[in-house]
Every structure is written in C-alpha cells, then in structure tokens.
Amino acid sequence: MANFAIDATPAMTYDAIVIGSGISGGWAAKELTGKGLKTLVLERGRDVKHVTDYPTANLNPWELEHRGQLPLAVRAQYGNIRSFMREDTVHWAIKPDEQPFVEEQPFTWTRGYHVGGKSLLWARQTQRWSDFDFEGPARDGFAVDWPIRYADLAPWYSYVEKFAGISGNKDGLPNLPDGEFLPPIELNCVETHLQGTIAQHYKDRQLIQGRCAHITKPQPIHTAQGRAQCQHRTLCVRGCPFGGYFSSNASTLPWAERTGKMTLRPHSVVHSIIYDEKKGRASGVRVVDANTLQMMEFYANIIFVNGSALNSNLILLNSISTRFPNGLGNDSGLLGKYIAWHNYRGKISAQYDGFPDKTTDGKNPSNGYIPRFRNLYKQEMDFLRGYATGVGGGRNLSQNQEGMGLALKERLLNPKLGPWHISGWMQGETVPLEKNHVRLDPTRTDKYGIPQLITAAGWSENDDKMVVDFMTQMTEMFTLAGFRNIKAVDTHSNPGADIHEMGGVRMGKDPKTSLLNQWNQLHHCKNVFVTDGACMTSTSTQNPSLTYMAFTARAANYAVDQLKKKNL
Ligand SMILES: Cc1cc2nc3c(=O)[nH]c(=O)nc-3n(C[C@H](O)[C@H](O)[C@H](O)COP(=O)(O)OP(=O)(O)OC[C@H]3O[C@@H](n4cnc5c(N)ncnc54)[C@H](O)[C@@H]3O)c2cc1C
Ligand code: SF4
C-alpha cells in the first residue's frame, strides 16, 4: 500500500518510529533522540511513570489486604497468570481478552503491556554472550552462521553496561566475558559453600555471582538519570522508586524525554508497517488506538521494531503489500520460523544443616550462576550445546502449625528459623528448528482486528537429554556439597515459560536463509530494523536482554550514520 500522505501530514511525520517501549525499544528511543532524531515511540499499553506509577512500591506486608496472596477470584480473571503476579504486582498482568493467541502446541507467552514492557518485570540477570555462542551454529552445524562475532558487539556491551549499571565480578572466563562492572553483590554462606565445593572438585566448572543490572555504587551517569544505589529491598517487580535496577521507565525513556525529541504515545497498538511500493521502502506504521479502536497512520524515515520477539514477528507477518505478500521482507519464506527459547525445565532443591549460627541471607536481588560447561571446547555429550544454572539459597522462619489452643498460639507467635535451603534452575540452549514457528491465524482476530498468532513450537530429543544431564550433574554437585533432601525434577514446563523467546526474524549473511543483515536491517527493506529477541539466530545459555540492548544501540547508531550519508 503506497503512502502518498507522507508530505501532506507533517503532524504525523517523524524522523524515526520505535514500536514498543520495553528493554530494546527504550534503548532505540534513547539512541535515536540522542542523535537528534524526532522520534515517535508507539506503545500498546498504558503509560507508567517512574515512581508515581508504582502503587505498591512502599507498602508494608500488613498494608496489602491479602498479605500478598492473590485471591482465587482475581486470579481467575487473568487466565493462566504467572506465579510472580501477586497482590502487589498484579497491576502489570494482562487480561486474556487483550491478545488471545492460538496454541497449536502449548506455549507460555508472558507479556508486559505497559510503558516499560517487561523491563519492569525482569530478573535483571545480564551476562554477556561470547564467541562460544556466536560461533555455535557454524561450529555445531545448526541454524545459520551469525553475521557478527563477539568483537562486533563488545564495545556496545560496554556502552550499554556503563549507562544501565551492571554489578558483577571480573571472573576471567572465556565463555562469559567480563564487562564494565560496578561492585558485585555478595553470595550468601550456603551459596559460597557450594562455590567452594565446585572449585575443589571440578576444573571446568565455576559458581560465580550472576552479573545483574543493579546499581551497587552509583556513578555520575546514574545520578544524572535520577537513579540511586540499590537498597536490597528485593521488591523490584513492584517497580523501584530508587531506580536501583535498570528499567526503561527509570533510565532510557526519561533520558530520551529530556532531549525534547521524543513523543511517547501509549494505547497505540501497531497493526502493521506500511510499505511504499513506489519508493521501495517502508514509509510508516498503521496503528489502532486502543481507546477509540480507530486506525491511524504515522510516517517516518526509519522504523525500529521492538515489540518483543513474538510481537515483532506478528507485526512483520501482518505487514502485507503487493511486493511482500507473505510479510515484510519475507522473500526467503522464513519469517516466523526457527523460533527458539531457553530450556528451564530442570530444577533442583535441597537443604543444608551447616551454618546454624548464620541467620540472614543478605536479600540478594541477584543470584549465583554456573556458566555453561557442557560441550564448550569440543562435542562431548550425546546432545548439542549446553546449559547454565542459576543458584539461590536462603533461610526462612517457619511456623509449626501443629497442635491446638495456647500451645499452638505460642508456636505461631514464635516461628523458628528452618535450615538453609538452596535451589538451582536450568537455563538450557535450545537449537532453533524450522518446524518451530509462529504464523497468523487466517480467520481469528483480536479485539483490535489484528490476526491472532499461532504458536507451533515443541521440545526436541536434544532438550530432553539436556534436562537429564542437568539433573544428574547438579545432583552430583549438591551431594558433594553435603546437601540433603535433594530433589531434582523435570517440570515439563511449556516452551516459553523461560520468557526468553527468540528468533523468527533471524540475522544472517545470506538473504536466502535469513531476514536481517549484520546491522539488524531487513535485507529487503533497509529502513526497517529489528533489534529485539526476534533477531536472534541462536539462543546461547545466557539471559538475552543485555544482548538486545547492545544490538539496539549498535543498530540505532548505524541507522543514524546511514541517514546522514543519505543511504536510507
Ligand atoms: C519474570 C521475568 C524475569 C526475567 N528475567 C530476565 C533476566 O534475568 N535477564 C534477561 O536478560 N531477561 C529476563 N527476562 C526477559 C526480559 O524481560 C525480556 O527479554 C525483555 O524485556 C525483552 O525486551 P523487548 O524490548 O524485546 O520486549 P519488552 O520489554 O517486553 O517490551 C516490548 C514492548 O512492546 C510493546 N508492544 C508489543 N506489541 C506492540 C504493538 N503491536 N504495538 C505497540 N507496542 C507493542 C509491549 O507493550 C511492550 O511494552 C525476564 C522476563 C520476566 C517476565
Ligand atoms: S532491591 Fe534494589 S532495585 Fe530492587 S526494589 Fe530494592 S532498591 Fe530497588
């Protein structure tokens, strides 16, 4: 559909449009406005202002009517709501009628539809990827070769880390490159005990403090953002009034706002990208106003697609034109395919009888982390790739609820400290497969008239074998540490339960086998950039969002450079 209106409607015309205001969209907004571009940020959900829109941030437990529990009747309104949505956080949850989708195969799709997106919900783990990841597909013969290597992204990791504020140790591990770290948060005694056991028994395994997006020692760049030191309240998912952790709301969006170049438009559900057949480029986006349900159009020279991985797939698949009848940029026919995620099925828990004199666990808003050790230097197992493990321990008060009368009352009023407990959770790499895909339902639409997404993605034998190895290896490490009551399980959770869904618009060298080039530009529609999880060629074992940030900053700076050179 040609856009003949671009010169006729200046009020709707911008230099750049960013779709989505979450982790990656916030970075796009910051970089583009910082370079002087008049930028429209379109966000489908409501506005969330830093501090003032965190209604529960400072409530004490007794000020919550149900002491944090979500009543079943309220829970029922939200359908399959995730366990981290409780009384103090349920205002971030979306109702099922907001965006129904079709689970051809079961898929847990967790979304955050408000300004800031999932940057208000995330666990803030920020590990860099390495060449063990970027060289993985070429080495192990799956997916396609990444068009970049670690060296291309390293300066951009540094760039985003300094601004976001990442705490951690310099561990000197080749598979987990060090970054620009603020002081680390300490592990507690039971985690340190496991760390020592692993160091004693294994040459190839380490337990480190997970690098995380918390300000442990504010630098001038953080105070300039109005953010302060993390107070270890571990109430992060309510929204942090100190700006102690990185979110779009505390960091990138207010920074972009201050340039005077950003227009943020909440309640704007992007329907599709408009392709100008005459000019051979995208000219803008179609938006459904969530309040009036009216369709409107906005125009710009460049468009950043940051709706989160599956929504970015949906938007591109729904961007149909004469030139692109199967979705924008989709000459290869691969749009929506090779969806992958992280394998979180393996879990382990145990208790420890040591440290009876240690009574506090330090309220660590991060956790311990065992980087991938399987198949690192050579293929050694009967499955491809490997897994990392998150590790967290603590000690709780427990109430003995046995008995009756005064004795019961006495016991309830005087809870006793239980033993130290520890748990581990798997973060396995899944191998992207063509059959794991999303596509549009040809008949069903949502309340905005946008086609519903069909998810068709399932586990493979590779994933099953990896879970078994995780349970065996973690049980061995926990046993060596003297833990008791060890329980290792395969939860058989759905794909997507990890909330790290990736792919569908993958990067690559060859337009025949990929959608995006090394700059996150659509091979066949150069003024459209996709820099969220949709762009990922493979999944690594590390949490992905820091990598989305680095890709976004890199692509935005490239886009502005190309605009200046009149190449876009
Ligand atoms: C509980 C939890 C823990 C997590 N822990 C970690 C972690 O420790 N480390 C890590 O790296 N990652 C973690 N993640 C994942 C992380 O939150 C995401 O990877 C990250 O937020 C993705 O960034 P994004 O910009 O792609 O998407 P989002 O942050 O989800 O932002 C997308 C935005 O686009 C908007 N949008 C979507 N569709 C449209 C449309 N059609 N029109 C307009 N706007 C649209 C959405 O409303 C949203 O605001 C976690 C997530 C959760 C929920
Ligand atoms: S732990 Fe730190 S980041 Fe989290 S809410 Fe508390 S102060 Fe904020």
Side-chain angles (χ1 to χ4, degrees):
M1 197 182 300
N3 163 31
F4 300 111
I6 193 157
D7 303 318
T9 54
M12 312 294 257
T13 304
Y14 296 80
D15 298 325
I17 289 175
V18 177
I19 303 173
S21 65
I23 289 188
S24 61
W27 268 100
K30 172 189 171 291
E31 294 304 307
L32 297 170
T33 56
K35 298 278 180 191
L37 266 57
K38 201 176 132 201
T39 304
L40 174 67
V41 179
L42 293 166
E43 167 54 52
R44 65 179 296 149
R46 66 185 169 92
D47 198 6
V48 175
K49 293 264 182 282
H50 182 49
V51 184
T52 48
D53 285 338
Y54 306 148
T56 57
N58 288 322
L59 293 186
N60 289 302
W62 57 88
E63 292 172 298
L64 294 161
E65 196 183 344
H66 305 95
R67 302 293 182 266
Q69 299 287 339
L70 202 56
L72 289 178
V74 180
R75 186 167 282 274
Q77 294 170 21
Y78 291 92
N80 272 339
I81 193 171
R82 301 298 300 272
S83 58
F84 60 86
M85 294 291 184
R86 291 166 50 85
E87 190 179 19
D88 55 339
T89 51
V90 69
H91 45 277
W92 306 131
I94 64 165
K95 298 244 172 92
D97 74 336
E98 173 61 25
Q99 190 191 33
F101 67 105
V102 183
E103 292 177 76
E104 191 169 279
Q105 287 174 270
F107 194 90
T108 300
W109 190 12
T110 303
R111 292 150 284 175
Y113 286 172
H114 42 254
V115 166
K118 294 195 291 286
S119 77
L120 287 171
L121 309 178
W122 70 320
R124 311 158 305 280
Q125 286 294 300
T126 35
Q127 331 297 340
R128 286 188 183 198
W129 291 27
S130 75
D131 271 337
F132 290 90
D133 306 304
F134 293 114
E135 290 175 359
R139 189 194 84 167
D140 291 345
F142 64 93
V144 284
D145 191 11
W146 279 88
I148 62 142
R149 289 292 180 262
Y150 176 68
D152 297 302
L153 216 50
W156 295 100
Y157 274 130
S158 292
Y159 181 79
V160 299
E161 282 167 345
K162 282 184 200 155
F163 189 82
I166 308 295
S167 76
N169 274 307
K170 289 202 186 278
D171 299 292
L173 303 173
N175 49 329
L176 201 74
D178 292 328
E180 311 288 337
F181 296 145
L182 303 171
I185 299 169
E186 281 177 33
L187 296 171
N188 64 37
C189 59
V190 71
E191 295 158 353
T192 308
H193 170 68
L194 180 62
Q195 182 182 49
T197 306
I198 292 174
Q200 190 188 343
H201 291 274
Y202 303 92
K203 285 206 170 60
D204 63 339
R205 305 181 190 183
Q206 304 83 17
L207 193 160
I208 63 166
Q209 175 60 271
R211 292 96 188 247
C212 67
H214 283 253
I215 298 180
T216 48
K217 186 173 178 196
Q219 302 298 304
I221 190 66
H222 306 127
T223 38
Q225 294 169 44
R227 297 170 58 201
Q229 186 160 338
C230 171
Q231 311 289 306
H232 286 243
R233 305 175 341 134
T234 55
L235 298 174
C236 314
V237 76
R238 294 181 179 185
C240 178
F242 303 95
Y245 73 88
F246 173 85
S247 66
S248 305
N249 312 61
S251 180
T252 43
L253 291 176
W255 196 264
E257 174 89 50
R258 265 187 259 160
T259 63
K261 296 281 182 183
M262 180 176 77
T263 303
L264 174 63
R265 194 175 198 285
H267 304 294
S268 304
V269 187
V270 171
H271 171 283
S272 52
I273 295 171
I274 305 163
Y275 185 72
D276 185 328
E277 309 271 356
K278 273 199 179 150
K279 292 182 177 161
R281 65 206 308 274
S283 57
V285 298
R286 296 183 195 88
V287 167
V288 180
D289 185 297
N291 293 320
T292 64
L293 297 187
Q294 274 194 326
M295 179 86 91
M296 48 182 66
E297 295 185 355
F298 296 95
Y299 311 105
N301 282 328
I302 52 174
I303 296 166
F304 268 69
V305 189
N306 297 101
S308 77
L310 295 195
N311 272 310
S312 292
N313 274 277
L314 195 165
I315 291 166
L316 293 179
L317 285 164
N318 201 33
S319 301
I320 307 295
S321 57
T322 308
R323 165 71 182 81
F324 293 112
N326 301 314
L328 189 63
N330 190 18
D331 287 4
S332 64
L334 295 179
L335 179 59
K337 296 181 178 172
Y338 294 96
I339 295 290
W341 57 94
H342 278 156
N343 183 345
Y344 269 39
R345 276 165 46 185
K347 307 266 186 248
I348 186 162
S349 63
Q351 291 175 339
Y352 186 54
D353 292 328
F355 307 118
D357 53 327
K358 301 256 192 272
T359 54
T360 51
D361 59 20
K363 286 209 164 204
N364 180 355
S366 180
N367 52 255
Y369 185 84
I370 304 174
R372 171 182 159 203
F373 53 88
R374 279 301 191 216
N375 299 327
L376 207 50
Y377 293 97
K378 61 178 189 332
Q379 184 62 41
E380 56 193 352
M381 305 299 296
D382 65 343
F383 56 83
L384 281 180
R385 313 303 293 165
Y387 51 85
T389 306
V391 176
R395 196 172 185 194
N396 302 337
L397 287 171
S398 70
Q399 282 174 329
N400 182 342
Q401 299 180 359
E402 286 165 13
M404 295 179 67
L406 264 184
L408 172 63
K409 202 168 160 190
E410 190 62 23
R411 277 197 285 273
L412 292 179
L413 285 172
N414 296 291
K416 296 249 176 336
L417 271 175
W420 283 92
H421 57 83
I422 187 152
S423 55
W425 52 97
M426 172 184 180
Q427 295 185 174
E429 177 163 352
T430 67
V431 171
L433 302 172
E434 185 169 2
K435 67 177 181 182
N436 285 335
H437 73 277
V438 293
R439 63 184 196 277
L440 300 185
D441 190 296
T443 52
R444 281 174 276 201
T445 56
D446 63 17
K447 63 183 180 185
Y448 306 111
I450 295 173
Q452 292 187 20
L453 197 68
I454 299 175
T455 57
W459 298 111
S460 68
E461 197 187 341
N462 201 65
D463 303 317
D464 298 340
K465 288 180 175 168
M466 210 186 274
V467 177
V468 172
D469 190 60
F470 165 88
M471 293 197 294
T472 311
Q473 296 308 312
M474 288 308 298
T475 301
E476 183 182 285
M477 288 184 251
F478 273 27
T479 306
L480 287 168
F483 298 157
R484 68 171 168 87
N485 204 10
I486 300 170
K487 289 186 185 131
V489 290
D490 179 351
T491 60
H492 294 285
S493 55
N494 289 343
D498 52 294
I499 326 179
H500 294 169
E501 60 275 9
M502 293 177 237
V505 197
R506 71 181 179 189
M507 295 171 77
K509 293 173 181 161
D510 183 353
K512 290 198 185 72
T513 56
S514 62
L515 275 298
L516 301 168
N517 68 11
Q518 75 271 36
W519 299 106
N520 296 74
Q521 249 172 328
L522 278 177
H523 289 298
H524 298 297
C525 188
K526 289 275 192 300
N527 64 333
V528 173
F529 293 78
V530 183
T531 63
D532 59 18
C535 78
M536 304 303 269
T537 309
S538 64
T539 72
S540 167
T541 59
Q542 280 91 290
N543 315 67
S545 306
L546 184 74
T547 302
Y548 306 162
M549 296 187 211
F551 268 131
T552 305
R554 178 174 177 268
N557 281 269
Y558 173 80
V560 173
D561 184 55
Q562 292 299 300
L563 269 182
K564 279 192 196 140
K565 291 179 179 154
K566 304 210 180 313
N567 291 339
L568 280 179

